[in-house]
């Protein structure tokens, strides 16, 4: 007779395993411990086999019969239900191994060591917050362009247009990595060209009029904040490196006797050399007496870490400058680039090399840290001297001999 739920609930375990048959090979195995397990007995290629269908009541009588009927259909088609289940489990494991998150983290682990720490942390945080929760478990080969667009639109809807574009770029890199490693056929992010709202990037605020620069330099000279921040303020316009590179500078990278500072550029991870003018060496020697025994040139409140990324801009605001419209820590680079070319008439390629920008040469070299080194040494000293004269209020007469 066919089983009923009442029969199953009332069935008691015995000293030996007990089988209650339902028909078609389906039976309930009641173990001496009380467990009730569904089993399906069938024959394939002349051999008797057994298929586990789960435990009662997690798998109800109705569900167990559905599993039996599905298995019988497979048998009718010449398919072994047990082998079919193993194949499905293997496919699920393979799918999980090739999920978007697994491949994304593999891609990140491979390439992140070549990036700046600030960049790599932003990339993984962006993926963990905005992409993995929705796409992470999906097989990467099955993700479509509309599916990816839905994720990016969600980011756009909160007003983070730049984040949406960067997330699209990161996803594209991950898809292309999957293609290169044989886990996907194509990169669907390429189909989304023009689908996201464009982002208008504003240039960093900068002062480029020598009169305004002179006032700023005098304000820095009169700054009454901490000595460490004041030194950073004095060196920022003089050396015009990226703000993050200045504030995270390490003493081991400086050779004050040779008047040189060597470090890895945060964006490109290439070596960069900054010739130090005599004024910068004097500031650094004075600062060395205070922080020279520490790792960082500009330590923060936590002496083991560099000063805050907001310290220079906060100091500029304290001096009365609007960091959105007048000057930012990054704006010193635009200031130097403009005045060095327009007022002091240095060649653009010399300036660009000192800014650590990629400037292809005749040999196709993207950046050469020693290129134009003599010209850059001259330029950096003349630039520091020029700033001194501006701060003192002297009349500035550009010198053009170095352009020959």
């Amino acid at each position: 007779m066919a089983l009923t739920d009442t029969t199953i609930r009332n069935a008691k375990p015995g000293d030996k395993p007990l089988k209650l048959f339902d028909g078609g090979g389906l039976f309930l195995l009641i173990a001496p411990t009380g467990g009730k397990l569904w089993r399906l007995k069938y024959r394939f290629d002349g051999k008797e086999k057994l298929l586990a269908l789960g435990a009662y009541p997690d798998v109800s009588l109705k569900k167990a019969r559905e599993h039996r009927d599905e298995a019988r259909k497979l048998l009718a088609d010449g398919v072994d239900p047990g082998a079919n289940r193993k194949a499905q489990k293997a496919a699920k494991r393979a799918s999980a191994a090739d999920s978007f998150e697994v491949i994304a983290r593999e891609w990140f682990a491979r390439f992140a060591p070549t990036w700046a720490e600030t960049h790599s942390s932003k990339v993984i945080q962006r993926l963990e917050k905005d992409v993995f929760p929705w796409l992470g478990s999906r097989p990467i080969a099955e993700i479509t362009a509309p599916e990816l667009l839905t994720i990016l639109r969600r980011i756009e809807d909160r007003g983070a247009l730049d984040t949406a574009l960067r997330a699209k770029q990161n996803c594209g890199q991950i898809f292309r990595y999957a293609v290169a490693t044989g886990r996907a056929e194509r990169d669907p992010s390429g189909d989304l060209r023009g689908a996201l709202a464009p982002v208008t990037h504003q240039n960093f605020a900068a002062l480029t009029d020598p009169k305004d620069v002179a006032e700023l330099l005098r304000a820095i000279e009169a700054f009454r904040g901490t000595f460490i921040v004041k030194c950073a303020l004095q060196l920022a316009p003089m050396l015009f490196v990226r703000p993050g590179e200045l504030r995270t500078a390490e003493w081991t990278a400086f050779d004050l006797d040779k008047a040189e500072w060597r470090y890895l550029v945060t964006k490109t991870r290439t070596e960069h050399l900054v010739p130090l003018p005599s004024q910068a060496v004097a500031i650094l020697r004075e600062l060395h007496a205070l922080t020279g025994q520490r790792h960082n040139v500009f330590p923060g409140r936590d002496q083991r870490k560099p000063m805050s990324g907001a310290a220079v801009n906060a100091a500029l605001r304290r001096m009365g400058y609007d960091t959105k419209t007048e000057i930012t820590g990054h704006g010193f680079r635009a200031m130097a680039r403009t005045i060095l070319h327009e007022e002091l008439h240095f060649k653009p390629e010399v300036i660009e090399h000192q800014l650590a920008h990629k400037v292809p040469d005749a040999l196709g070299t993207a950046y050469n840290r020693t290129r134009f080194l003599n010209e850059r040494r001259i330029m950096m000293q003349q630039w520091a001297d020029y700033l001194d004269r501006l701060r003192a209020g002297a009349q500035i007469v550009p010198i053009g001999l170095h352009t020959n």
Side-chain angles (χ1 to χ4, degrees):
M1 294 179 60
L3 293 174
T4 66
D5 280 310
T6 301
T7 302
I8 295 172
R9 285 196 301 270
N10 292 335
K12 304 298 182 182
D15 295 335
K16 297 181 178 181
L18 175 66
K19 296 179 181 179
L20 300 180
F21 289 90
D22 186 63
L26 177 65
F27 66 90
L28 186 71
L29 177 66
I30 303 177
T33 55
K36 299 176 179 180
L37 308 172
W38 291 111
R39 296 289 185 266
L40 178 66
K41 183 168 64 173
Y42 66 97
R43 297 186 73 83
F44 188 81
D45 282 346
K47 296 180 180 180
E48 186 175 288
K49 297 190 174 186
L50 203 62
L51 185 65
L53 301 179
Y56 181 90
D58 295 336
V59 177
S60 66
L61 173 59
K62 179 182 178 182
K63 193 67 177 178
R65 287 170 174 167
E66 290 176 358
H67 288 329
R68 175 195 62 195
D69 294 342
E70 291 169 0
R72 290 170 68 88
K73 289 179 182 178
L74 290 172
L75 285 168
D77 291 335
V79 177
D80 182 349
N84 182 65
R85 174 179 290 181
K86 290 180 180 178
Q88 288 182 340
K89 287 183 177 180
K92 287 183 179 179
R93 288 195 296 270
S95 176
D98 290 341
S99 70
F100 182 87
E101 181 171 352
V102 167
I103 293 176
R105 291 191 182 278
E106 180 184 318
W107 164 80
F108 181 80
R110 179 175 293 272
F111 294 104
T114 65
W115 303 335
E117 184 178 349
T118 53
H119 175 66
S120 62
S121 63
K122 288 178 181 177
V123 169
I124 196 63
Q125 288 171 14
R126 189 180 302 127
L127 291 171
E128 290 176 341
K129 177 183 177 182
D130 294 316
V131 182
F132 290 165
W134 291 275
L135 290 183
S137 61
R138 294 275 289 119
I140 197 165
E142 297 179 10
I143 297 173
T144 64
E147 190 175 1
L148 177 58
L149 182 59
T150 299
I151 303 305
L152 300 176
R153 287 265 192 261
R154 185 178 286 111
I155 303 173
E156 276 191 331
D157 288 345
R158 69 171 191 259
L161 303 184
D162 186 68
T163 299
L165 282 174
R166 293 181 185 276
K168 174 179 173 290
Q169 293 170 354
N170 294 149
C171 288
Q173 292 169 314
I174 294 164
F175 282 120
R176 291 190 290 277
Y177 176 74
V179 171
T181 54
R183 268 98 47 100
E185 293 294 327
R186 61 187 301 275
D187 167 21
S189 71
D191 298 334
L192 301 182
R193 184 172 299 146
L196 298 180
V199 178
T200 302
H201 292 283
Q202 296 182 343
N203 293 327
F204 292 102
L207 301 176
T208 55
D209 187 311
K211 291 182 180 179
D212 295 332
V213 174
E215 292 180 6
L216 172 62
L217 295 173
R218 285 192 283 271
I220 291 174
E221 188 68 20
F223 180 69
R224 290 296 177 263
T226 67
F227 180 68
I228 292 174
V229 173
K230 182 173 183 176
C231 288
L233 282 171
Q234 291 174 317
L235 291 170
M238 194 183 303
L239 304 183
F240 52 89
V241 296
R242 293 178 178 87
E245 294 164 347
L246 181 65
R247 74 177 184 84
T248 60
E250 301 172 356
W251 281 117
T252 54
F254 286 86
D255 187 331
L256 297 184
D257 293 331
K258 291 184 178 180
E260 292 180 349
W261 174 22
R262 298 168 183 261
Y263 63 87
L264 288 179
V265 178
T266 53
K267 281 194 172 184
T268 60
R269 306 303 293 174
T270 54
E271 284 192 8
H272 184 47
L273 190 154
V274 179
L276 300 173
S278 59
Q279 294 91 328
V281 172
I283 293 170
L284 288 165
R285 287 195 185 281
E286 190 173 4
L287 183 58
H288 189 270
L290 178 64
T291 70
Q293 300 305 311
R294 303 191 183 104
H295 183 69
N296 297 295
V297 177
F298 306 100
R301 292 181 179 178
D302 183 343
Q303 299 294 311
R304 297 167 299 179
K305 298 180 180 180
M307 70 180 185
S308 165
V312 168
N313 279 353
L316 290 169
R317 288 193 293 272
R318 184 175 172 183
M319 292 186 295
Y321 285 91
D322 187 327
T323 52
K324 291 184 178 180
T325 61
E326 293 181 294
I327 184 68
T328 69
H330 205 286
F332 291 120
R333 290 168 63 77
M335 172 197 295
R337 182 192 300 113
T338 301
I339 297 178
L340 280 168
H341 179 58
E342 295 183 359
E343 300 293 331
L344 300 185
H345 308 301
F346 279 94
K347 293 182 290 187
E349 57 268 34
V350 176
I351 302 171
E352 291 299 305
H353 266 76
Q354 192 52 55
L355 287 163
H357 286 167
K358 291 183 178 180
V359 185
D361 58 21
L363 299 177
T365 305
Y367 176 73
N368 182 340
R369 65 181 173 84
T370 61
R371 188 162 172 78
F372 302 117
L373 184 54
N374 289 334
E375 293 95 327
R376 287 192 282 136
R377 290 188 190 280
I378 294 171
M379 180 182 73
M380 294 300 284
Q381 187 59 58
Q382 290 194 11
W383 171 242
D385 294 342
Y386 175 86
L387 294 180
D388 280 349
R389 294 195 297 273
L390 274 185
R391 185 179 62 253
Q395 183 177 2
I396 302 300
V397 178
I399 301 174
L401 296 177
H402 47 258
T403 62
N404 294 331

